[in-house]
């Protein structure tokens, strides 16, 4: 019964999103574009933070590596931007592999601090025009628009379909990932690292893999972001950016795909709705976050247990009641 | 034929020597008990074998391979599985998923094949599921497969730890106080289970304070006190061994001072 209701709700949402550009003006479509980008970023962070339980607050660094890769290569060598998606993802993943390797053994708040340091170092390196290719504080201009079969994507509603198609693919793939040996391994190490290692799981490797995969996806989102804005600058990849992604995951429900998407709507979309309240909107938003953390610590839509194709067997005429 | 050999293994924590030059041989297909008073270093010995700690000196040889200093997951892969004294289940996951954790090292598919859901991945998943159900059936927890593990009774949580360990298909199973918190009936059931595992050819090493259980199922017993091995032998020898009786009951002098008059069995019960 519950399942049917969920199916109906999801169907309604998908249909509403499918036709959204038809009844929304450009401004709101653009807001939805941001929501979509953050949803994908949130989903990629969710692998690290949600499934793996690693407090990683430097995700913007991977996003930046992807965006800058696209910006540099497309402006210098004229490579079509969408072709650069895999490469941007790959370089972001490589970057994650290098920087995460020495820090993954850190736990909880220690990891948090180090990842904050990481994202700041990346931002400062970009400002300082590292290798002379990042354009310093001004960033890089004139990134070309994406093209699909000669069809140029320029307007918000065109980007809308690109972003949401990518989001749909992401959800589809990550759902499978969640319900797999890989997804389970991350959940085990979140639940109890010692027990996971003791059960034969190479915890260090899985932590690293989570970072690599999360970074790969964030890097690909970076490509879309760069071509949507046509400009990238260090200001877009501040620590605050990481905090927003972190909030998207935690608020919506760490480890739950629908939760993360909802989180993105709330964290990125809601403040736009409250624009009328001008300065007080962040105050209201902050208060809402605090209340949430008090009354629903696991997020608004926490993950539901995985389902397996096994039959129920009746419990024995309860031995446990006799024995307790 | 010995499956596991400890050669003069020593582990110190700061000034404390938790395990002091301990050596023993564990023969294949045997149930061995490791006993001793609280704080004697039994669990430390287990942690050394399973790679949670690295010994300061000495060698740990499993099936001809020196494994001291290996990472835990590699030791599990090699064929040694364990349960924990303080139950360490994945509390918020289902009973079934807890067992699936054990089969992790016997399966291969990674992130990409999961996303593409290749045929091999699906088949592997199906097989892992069947195997996990078989282990649950074996320990008698099949009806609880979908329950959250934290909702199981204490005794059943211990059984689930065994099922999870078994899912990694070990040749040596290490049980750290498997009967802790179990009532008599559950302990009986556990004894039957341990016998069945031994009959299937598994070697079992266990720490247990329930002397009744130890004397009933162990073929061989090693006793340690303050990190030192003080005795070794069959259950009958150990019961008679004056050094062991002393370790558990104290000497005459201590007896008067501490007023410890409990027998080995009742002491064990109170722990």
């Amino acid at each position: 019964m519950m399942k049917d209701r969920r199916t109906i709700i999801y169907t309604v949402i998908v249909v509403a999103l499918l036709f959204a550009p038809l009844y929304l003006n450009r401004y709101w479509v653009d807001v939805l574009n941001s929501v979509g980008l953050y949803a994908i970023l949130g989903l990629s962070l969710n692998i690290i933070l949600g499934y793996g339980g690693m407090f990683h607050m430097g995700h913007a660094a991977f996003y930046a590596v992807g965006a800058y890769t696209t910006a540099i290569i497309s402006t210098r060598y004229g490579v079509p931007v969408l072709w650069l998606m895999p490469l941007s993802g790959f370089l972001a993943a490589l970057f994650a592999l290098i920087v995460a390797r020495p820090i993954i053994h850190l736990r909880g708040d220690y990891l948090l601090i180090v990842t904050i340091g990481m994202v700041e170092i990346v931002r400062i390196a970009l400002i300082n025009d590292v290798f002379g290719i990042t354009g310093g504080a001004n960033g890089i201009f004139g990134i070309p628009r994406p093209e699909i079969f000669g069809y140029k994507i320029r307007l918000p509603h065109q980007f809308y379909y690109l972003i949401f198609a990518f989001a749909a693919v992401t959800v589809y793939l990550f759902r499978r990932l969640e319900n797999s040996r890989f997804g389970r391994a991350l959940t085990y190490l979140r639940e109890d690292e010692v027990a996971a290692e003791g059960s034969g799981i190479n915890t260090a490797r899985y932590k690293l893999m989570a970072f690599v995969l999360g970074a790969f996806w964030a890097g690909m989102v970076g490509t879309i972001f760069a071509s949507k804005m046509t400009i990238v600058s260090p200001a877009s990849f501040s620590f605050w950016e990481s905090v927003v992604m972190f909030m998207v995951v935690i608020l919506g429900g760490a480890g739950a795909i629908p939760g993360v998407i909802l989180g993105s709507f709330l964290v990125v979309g809601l403040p736009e709705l409250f624009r009328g309240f001008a300065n007080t909107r962040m105050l209201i938003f902050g208060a809402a976050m605090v209340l949430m953390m008090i009354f629903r610590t696991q997020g608004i839509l926490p993950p539901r247990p995985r389902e397996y194709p096994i039959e129920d067997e009746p419990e024995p005429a309860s031995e446990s009641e006799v024995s307790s | 034929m010995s499956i596991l050999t400890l050669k003069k293994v020593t582990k110190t924590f700061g000034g404390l020597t938790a395990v002091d030059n301990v050596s023993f041989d564990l023969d294949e297909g045997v149930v061995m008990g490791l006993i001793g008073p609280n704080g004697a270093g039994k669990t430390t010995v287990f942690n050394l074998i399973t790679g949670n700690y690295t010994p300061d000196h000495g060698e740990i040889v499993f099936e001809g391979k020196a494994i001291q200093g290996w990472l835990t997951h590699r030791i599990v892969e090699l064929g040694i599985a364990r349960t924990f004294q303080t139950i360490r289940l994945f509390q918020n996951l289902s009973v079934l998923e807890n067992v699936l954790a054990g089969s992790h090292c016997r399966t291969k598919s990674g992130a990409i094949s999961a996303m593409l859901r290749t045929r091999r991945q699906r088949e592997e998943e199906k097989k892992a599921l069947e195997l996990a159900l078989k282990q649950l059936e074996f320990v008698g927890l099949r009806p609880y497969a979908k329950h959250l593990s934290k909702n199981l009774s204490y005794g059943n949580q211990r059984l689930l730890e065994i099922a999870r360990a078994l899912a990694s298909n070990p040749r040596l199973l290490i049980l750290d106080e498997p009967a802790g918190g179990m009532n008599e009936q559950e302990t009986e059931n556990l004894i039957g289970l341990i016998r069945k595992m031994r009959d299937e050819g598994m070697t079992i090493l266990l720490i247990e304070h329930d002397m009744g259980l130890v004397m009933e199922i162990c073929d061989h017993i090693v006793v340690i006190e303050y990190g030192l091995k003080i005795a070794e032998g069959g259950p009958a020898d150990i019961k008679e061994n004056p050094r062991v009786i002393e370790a558990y009951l104290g000497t005459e002098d201590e007896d008067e001072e501490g007023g410890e008059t409990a027998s080995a069995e009742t002491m064990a019960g109170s722990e």
Side-chain angles (χ1 to χ4, degrees):
Chain A
M1 237 79 74
M2 273 299 284
K3 201 166 178 180
D4 291 343
R5 220 183 66 191
R6 244 187 345 253
T7 315
I8 293 168
I9 292 172
Y10 289 160
T11 314
V12 169
I13 292 171
V14 167
V15 170
L17 284 176
L18 212 54
F19 296 107
L22 300 181
Y23 53 84
L24 292 176
N25 63 29
R26 280 174 70 151
Y27 173 75
W28 282 105
V29 171
D30 213 43
V31 169
L32 278 182
N33 285 346
S34 289
V35 169
L37 285 178
Y38 278 99
I40 308 168
L41 286 169
L43 289 171
S44 71
L45 177 61
N46 187 39
I47 293 175
I48 304 163
L49 173 64
Y51 304 145
M54 289 171 277
F55 285 175
H56 163 47
M57 218 185 240
H59 211 51
F62 306 143
Y63 185 33
V65 171
Y68 267 86
T69 303
T70 301
I72 292 164
I73 296 179
S74 65
T75 53
R76 290 192 176 213
Y77 305 106
V79 181
V81 276
L82 284 182
W83 289 28
L84 291 170
M85 256 176 107
L87 181 69
S88 299
F90 177 77
L91 286 182
L94 191 69
F95 178 72
L97 189 69
I98 294 163
V99 297
R101 185 68 197 81
I103 61 170
I104 38 159
H105 63 278
L106 296 174
R107 275 158 216 229
D109 34 8
Y110 297 100
L111 183 69
L112 194 79
I113 300 291
V114 175
T115 51
I116 291 171
M118 178 185 78
V119 72
E120 274 301 281
I121 289 169
V122 167
R123 190 181 62 89
I124 292 164
L126 292 174
I127 291 175
N128 289 333
D129 200 4
V130 65
F131 310 130
I133 53 175
T134 67
N138 294 328
I140 296 169
F141 304 83
I143 300 156
R145 299 291 194 178
E147 261 180 57
I148 296 176
F149 304 122
Y151 180 77
K152 203 163 198 144
I153 295 172
R154 252 171 352 104
L155 300 168
H157 73 264
Q158 292 166 332
F159 266 104
Y160 175 87
Y161 285 109
L162 176 68
I163 289 166
F164 277 81
F166 187 41
V169 170
T170 305
V171 169
Y172 178 73
L173 293 178
F174 283 13
R175 249 182 70 88
R176 290 177 152 197
L177 193 69
E178 185 179 311
N179 294 298
S180 75
R181 176 173 174 270
F182 184 89
R184 279 197 303 271
L186 291 178
T187 319
Y188 296 141
L189 79 87
R190 178 191 69 205
E191 284 284 309
D192 185 335
E193 207 180 316
V194 175
E197 181 81 22
S199 307
I201 292 159
N202 187 345
T203 48
R205 183 169 168 271
Y206 273 93
K207 285 178 172 184
L208 201 56
M209 290 289 291
F211 265 95
V212 166
L213 194 62
F216 189 89
W217 237 264
M220 291 201 291
V221 182
T223 297
I224 298 183
F225 175 78
S227 64
K228 176 171 168 284
M229 305 306 286
T230 69
I231 167 177
V232 292
S233 74
S236 307
F237 307 102
S238 60
F239 167 57
W240 177 247
E241 218 46 33
S242 293
V243 175
V244 171
M245 295 179 211
F246 201 86
M247 281 198 297
V248 163
V249 176
I250 297 290
L251 184 84
I257 290 173
V260 173
I261 295 170
L262 177 68
S264 168
F265 273 94
L266 295 179
V267 175
V268 183
L270 216 53
E272 294 300 328
L273 271 182
F274 291 148
R275 268 217 185 272
F277 298 104
N279 293 329
T280 52
R281 73 193 169 108
M282 286 321 267
L283 192 70
I284 295 167
F285 187 64
M289 285 285 286
V290 171
L291 289 176
M292 253 270 325
M293 285 296 123
I294 294 170
F295 295 110
R296 208 170 162 87
T297 45
Q298 73 276 51
I300 296 170
L301 290 176
R304 286 177 304 110
R306 294 185 181 84
E307 283 168 15
Y308 295 91
I310 59 166
E311 284 157 36
D312 272 316
E313 259 187 29
E315 285 175 38
S318 202
E319 261 178 72
S320 58
E321 265 153 51
V322 183
S323 63
S324 67
Chain B
M1 181 48 201
S2 90
I3 187 168
L4 180 80
T5 308
L6 268 70
K7 287 182 200 161
K8 299 190 172 174
V9 172
T10 300
K11 177 72 186 173
T12 55
F13 296 106
L16 176 83
T17 307
V19 177
D20 195 352
N21 246 332
V22 169
S23 305
F24 62 77
D25 262 310
L26 173 52
D27 286 339
E28 203 169 344
V30 157
V31 178
M32 184 195 263
L34 184 63
I35 64 169
N38 274 346
K42 304 179 296 288
T43 298
T44 309
V45 170
F46 276 18
N47 282 334
L48 287 166
I49 298 171
T50 55
N52 295 73
Y53 299 145
T54 309
D56 300 328
H57 304 289
E59 227 183 333
I60 300 169
V61 180
F62 177 72
E63 292 182 336
K65 283 196 191 80
I67 57 167
Q68 73 274 11
W70 282 31
L71 288 170
T72 302
H73 71 265
R74 286 196 58 204
I75 292 173
V76 178
E77 246 174 68
L78 201 62
I80 303 179
R82 75 170 297 177
T83 66
F84 294 88
Q85 179 186 357
T86 50
I87 295 173
R88 295 196 87 132
L89 290 168
F90 307 112
Q91 299 271 330
N92 299 310
L93 301 181
S94 72
V95 168
L96 177 71
E97 282 182 307
N98 269 277
V99 184
L100 281 172
S103 65
H104 184 93
C105 65
R106 299 289 167 238
T107 45
K108 283 206 276 295
S109 60
I112 292 168
S113 64
M115 287 200 267
L116 301 179
R117 203 152 281 192
T118 58
R119 207 168 122 190
R120 232 194 55 205
Q121 190 264 355
R122 276 176 289 148
E123 276 167 12
E124 191 180 83
E125 193 78 352
K126 210 176 131 204
K127 254 169 76 184
L129 210 60
E130 276 167 20
L131 205 83
L133 289 177
K134 221 181 80 191
Q135 304 302 353
L136 282 177
E137 197 87 53
F138 180 74
V139 299
L141 292 180
R142 175 63 183 86
Y144 305 100
K146 288 183 175 174
H147 292 216
L148 288 187
S149 65
K150 66 178 170 193
N151 295 337
L152 291 182
S153 72
Y154 207 68
N156 281 343
Q157 292 195 10
R158 292 233 177 257
L159 291 178
L160 179 54
E161 280 224 332
I162 294 177
R164 183 176 68 186
L166 286 176
S168 73
N169 197 14
R171 287 186 296 289
L172 170 61
L173 179 63
I174 298 183
L175 306 171
D176 200 344
E177 292 193 30
M182 282 191 176
N183 62 28
E184 244 169 79
Q185 189 196 341
E186 288 170 325
T187 307
E188 270 314 304
N189 173 29
L190 175 72
I191 291 174
L193 214 59
I194 293 174
R195 285 222 172 92
K196 246 198 274 176
M197 292 189 280
R198 184 197 53 196
D199 293 344
E200 284 174 14
M202 207 174 297
T203 312
I204 292 158
L205 175 59
L206 59 89
I207 291 175
E208 188 48 66
H209 284 298
D210 183 333
M211 287 303 146
L213 181 146
V214 171
M215 295 302 164
E216 198 178 332
I217 53 168
C218 289
D219 306 303
H220 195 82
I221 295 170
V222 168
V223 190
I224 58 174
E225 187 194 19
Y226 299 121
L228 283 162
K229 184 171 87 173
I230 58 168
E232 184 173 0
D237 303 334
I238 294 297
K239 261 190 216 164
E240 311 279 282
N241 189 315
R243 191 68 192 81
V244 177
I245 295 168
E246 191 189 311
Y248 267 90
L249 301 180
T251 56
E252 289 284 321
D253 288 354
E254 277 175 358
D255 237 321
E256 277 154 28
E257 285 160 23
E260 289 183 56
T261 51
S263 72
E265 264 96 341
T266 51
M267 258 188 74
S270 66
E271 277 159 3

